[in-house]
Amino acid sequence: MTTGAAAAPAPAEEDMVFLKLVRVVNLTARPFQQRVGRQHQLTLNEWRAMAVLGGRPGLTATQVADLTGLDKMAVSRALAGLQSAKRLHRHEDPTDQRRSRLYLSSVGKALYAEVVVQAREREAELFAGVAAEELQRLNATLDKLIASVAGNAGAPVSG
């Protein structure tokens, strides 16, 4: 027999912060295919790669994977799709001929400029009810989570 206070019941699965975070990502990404994907024949992962390359031209595929959080195969497929649609150019890395540097083509840059406006509108809708201080705290917390997860990328998932 155990004495003392009873342990608090475990939170319901849907109340776990991790699952809430996954749900937010899924719910915010879901409209992409209806709003943007069909219109531009663009997958969500292709957009994620474009979004990173639009702000940081000249990245390698490994850097795109690191910055998007996608696995290397998903990035490889996204980059192949972008290249097939003439939205991406690969240039040999002058410091290491085994890898390529990635750049949006003029077609890719035009699409990026159009879609990023829609992405920012979606972001504004999402955070319309969030105070500026809350958004700053959320941003800082997300930065901490990204740093923590990136540092433990090979660790098994728990929870």
Side-chain angles (χ1 to χ4, degrees), residues 26 40 46 60-61 71 82 93 101 117 125 131 145 150:
N26 290 340
H40 299 289
E46 288 170 353
T60 65
D71 66 60
L82 291 173
D93 186 331
R101 295 289 175 173
V117 170
E125 290 171 10
L145 288 171

Side-chain angles (χ1 to χ4, degrees), residues 48-49 52-53 56 58-80 88 90-91 93 96 98-103 150 153:
R48 289 171 172 156
V52 170
L53 290 169
R56 297 182 182 190
L59 295 173
T60 65
T62 299
Q63 290 169 318
V64 171
D66 291 344
L67 290 168
T68 59
L70 296 171
D71 66 60
K72 290 181 182 182
M73 277 306 289
V75 169
S76 179
R77 284 190 296 271
L79 295 175
L88 178 80
R90 295 175 187 263
H91 297 286
D93 186 331
D96 184 347
R98 294 171 296 174
R99 67 180 173 205
S100 300
R101 295 289 175 173
L102 306 166
Y103 299 87

